[in-house]
Amino acid sequence: MEKKIKILSVFGTRPEAIKMATVVRELQDQSDAIESKVVVTAQHREMLDQVLRVFAIKPDYDLGVMKPGQDLFDVTGAVLAGLKPILDRERPDMLVVQGDTTTTFAGALAAFYFQIPVGHVEAGLRTYEKYAPFPEEINRVMTTHLADLHFAPTSQAREALLKEGVTAERVFVTGNPVIDALHLALQRPYHMEPELERAFTENKRVILLTTHRRENLGSPLQEIYLALRNLLYNYPDLAVVFPVHKNPKVRQEVAQVLQGLPRVYLTEPLDYLPFINVENRAYLVLTDSGGVQEEAPALGKPVLVLRDVTERPEAVAFGTAKLVGTNRHQVEENVARLLDSREAYDAMANAVNPYGDGQAAPRIVQAIRSYFNQAPPPEEFRPESKRYQMPEARAQIPEND
Ligand code: UD1
Ligand code: UDP
């Protein structure tokens, strides 16, 4: 019997957990060949725990680094210090990180200091703008240079890596596990709070809004919210569902502009299952989130991206996503166009899956095993070779269940 390879998955925020959930499950499923360990940094606390509950992930280690008002120095320092004794004790064969957060970068750096190989999920996303998004663009560039295996979600991401000199044999186009998670979640029954359900029963069209990017804090957020205030005034059949990020700097702007307005449904961050079902039932999506930008096209929802640049150009190229920035008038005009013109709406409402086919996690795990000569390399994800349909969403769990 071959020696098992020990893989340590490290993540800390909500989106990392969602995108690592199926990877962790796949690692655990192959327990005949793999010993899987999970470390959460808890850079996010409540928003991370929501995801751990949904996917029944029980971390082996929890660094508990989150503190109110944390800055980049706090998180970077705490993750490095927290990982040191764990890596020293566990000495995994590979450490796997996901995405572009401070946890991602500091996790990869800690592994490098122990000369432990690093696998990077969602590698090769680029805007080529140092401060947009901040600090994510540089986090992922640095993670690329610390990593040994690169799981690119799309062929465009692979090209970006090759241009930076990454060895082609170390890059695998796998698709993004965000689509694996979405696929699983749509098949599970969900519960929606009655207050939120009313948004859909009492209004004709619902916009789903999420905002949290650091570079949008302050006046860009105010601009976005002011645009929505005008739109609500001009379109009496319109409602906005807005699960507000836990960041107090986001909450402060929301309180100033949107709190208390009719047809604005402000909620705490939603659990993943109700969230994606809101996304699935919404008329359109307005967001500065990375993950939501990937999910909405798979659900056939037009998505207006509240940023000037994106590292996810594929859905823009397919016509399902559009960059609208944060200027009040720009946002208002773009939303109004989709509300006024059926033609404009239909042109964007295409279900496309440039980001995956629901099989990213098995490919990633196979690529890891191929690195250790346990398996052949996986077949690549090719969106054009397979029209992948999302499953129909399940019905809601009745209120008295
Ligand atoms: C982080 C990531 C960003 C990612 C986002 C996903 C960095 C630098 N940023 O941004 O790339 O897109 O997560 O949401 O890694 N907070 C809570 N409870 C929580 C979560 C956060 O109170 O469950 C508070 C924190 O205490 C902090 C603030 O929200 O004061 C911001 O959290 P932080 O992780 O530093 O940055 P995000 O903006 O969430
Ligand atoms: N999400 C969620 N509940 C919410 C808002 C978002 O579960 O109230 C999920 C969403 O489905 C997506 C992910 O969180 O998969 C996106 O996370 P976020 O926007 O915080 O981070 P980003 O993707 O921008 O890094």
Side-chain angles (χ1 to χ4, degrees):
M1 173 76 189
E2 265 179 283
K3 186 181 160 293
K4 287 188 188 187
I5 46 177
K6 191 196 271 193
I7 307 296
L8 199 77
S9 303
V10 177
F11 49 92
T13 65
R14 169 173 67 191
E16 293 166 75
I18 290 170
K19 290 168 172 177
M20 283 301 288
T22 56
V23 176
V24 167
R25 176 187 288 198
E26 191 68 32
L27 289 166
Q28 288 169 347
D29 281 354
Q30 300 193 27
S31 60
D32 52 329
I34 294 170
E35 182 185 355
S36 166
K37 296 257 169 158
V38 172
V39 181
V40 294
T41 66
Q43 174 178 337
H44 285 172
R45 183 72 275 167
E46 302 89 336
M47 286 162 53
L48 171 76
D49 291 344
Q50 282 181 302
V51 182
L52 298 180
R53 269 197 308 275
V54 171
F55 289 98
I57 298 171
K58 295 194 171 44
D60 298 282
Y61 299 94
D62 187 331
L63 304 185
V65 307
M66 194 189 91
K67 59 177 190 184
Q70 63 194 11
D71 65 23
L72 299 174
F73 293 86
D74 297 325
V75 181
T76 310
V79 171
L80 279 175
L83 282 177
K84 183 178 170 185
I86 295 171
L87 296 188
D88 201 17
R89 185 173 330 125
E90 293 288 348
R91 301 277 167 175
D93 296 298
M94 178 173 279
L95 182 142
V96 177
V97 289
Q98 190 286 332
D100 54 18
T101 71
T102 296
T103 289
T104 314
F105 165 57
L109 184 61
F112 169 67
Y113 286 164
F114 278 98
Q115 301 189 10
I116 294 165
V118 174
H120 185 202
V121 177
E122 197 180 273
L125 275 59
R126 298 288 186 267
T127 63
Y128 303 104
E129 300 252 355
K130 188 171 179 182
Y131 297 110
F134 172 77
E136 291 84 2
E137 176 70 5
I138 295 305
N139 279 348
R140 52 194 170 223
V141 169
M142 293 190 294
T143 304
T144 290
H145 293 279
L146 294 165
D148 301 84
L149 265 188
H150 311 259
F151 310 114
T154 64
S155 51
Q156 198 161 335
R158 189 225 335 250
E159 291 313 309
L161 293 168
L162 300 186
K163 262 196 262 164
E164 287 169 30
V166 177
T167 312
E169 292 71 50
R170 296 294 176 84
V171 182
F172 295 90
V173 181
T174 58
N176 195 316
V178 74
I179 303 296
D180 302 22
L182 185 60
H183 184 118
L184 273 185
L186 283 174
Q187 297 175 81
R188 285 172 59 178
Y190 66 102
H191 172 72
M192 216 186 264
E193 290 300 321
E195 170 66 7
L196 201 52
E197 186 57 36
R198 271 201 290 280
F200 291 93
T201 50
E202 292 179 3
N203 304 281
K204 206 164 132 218
R205 298 189 285 193
V206 170
I207 293 181
L208 170 62
L209 171 68
T210 82
T211 57
H212 72 79
R213 292 251 82 80
R214 254 183 171 72
E215 62 274 18
N216 280 350
L217 297 177
S219 61
L221 284 189
Q222 287 225 358
E223 286 276 298
I224 296 165
Y225 303 157
L226 287 169
L228 282 160
R229 200 165 73 176
N230 277 352
L231 285 158
L232 284 158
Y233 181 77
N234 291 332
Y235 294 84
D237 71 343
L238 190 66
V240 174
V241 169
F242 184 5
V244 186
H245 194 283
K246 281 278 185 194
N247 188 343
K249 291 181 181 154
V250 175
R251 297 190 159 211
Q252 188 184 314
E253 306 298 339
V254 175
Q256 278 182 27
V257 186
L258 289 176
Q259 193 108 44
L261 288 186
R263 291 174 281 122
V264 174
Y265 299 78
L266 299 176
T267 73
E268 286 298 314
L270 291 173
D271 274 355
Y272 180 58
L273 299 187
F275 181 82
I276 58 148
N277 281 285
V278 168
E279 204 173 347
N280 203 22
R281 292 168 70 185
Y283 191 69
L284 63 94
V285 177
L286 233 67
T287 192
D288 63 9
S289 156
V292 177
Q293 252 181 95
E294 293 157 340
E295 292 162 350
L299 297 170
K301 300 297 168 179
V303 52
L304 299 179
V305 181
L306 302 161
R307 299 168 52 176
D308 298 322
V309 287
T310 182
E311 60 288 321
R312 294 170 168 90
E314 294 85 354
V316 177
F318 274 105
T320 305
K322 185 173 178 199
L323 281 174
V324 298
T326 54
N327 173 280
R328 188 190 323 184
H329 306 292
Q330 281 278 103
V331 173
E332 205 179 322
E333 270 167 36
N334 277 285
V335 174
R337 211 163 66 86
L338 292 180
L339 295 175
D340 292 339
S341 157
R342 188 73 220 184
E343 211 183 331
Y345 183 87
D346 288 344
M348 283 191 81
N350 298 314
V352 293
N353 281 299
Y355 301 114
D357 60 359
Q359 295 299 315
R363 288 193 190 95
I364 289 166
V365 173
Q366 192 178 331
I368 293 173
R369 291 185 63 178
S370 76
Y371 179 85
F372 293 101
N373 298 317
Q374 277 193 352
E379 262 190 43
E380 298 210 328
F381 161 62
R382 284 198 188 82
E384 67 277 12
S385 66
K386 194 171 170 193
R387 288 273 334 140
Y388 177 75
Q389 288 299 321
M390 294 309 291
E392 285 289 311
R394 286 282 300 270
Q396 266 193 76
I397 303 171
E399 193 44 32
N400 53 4
D401 255 29

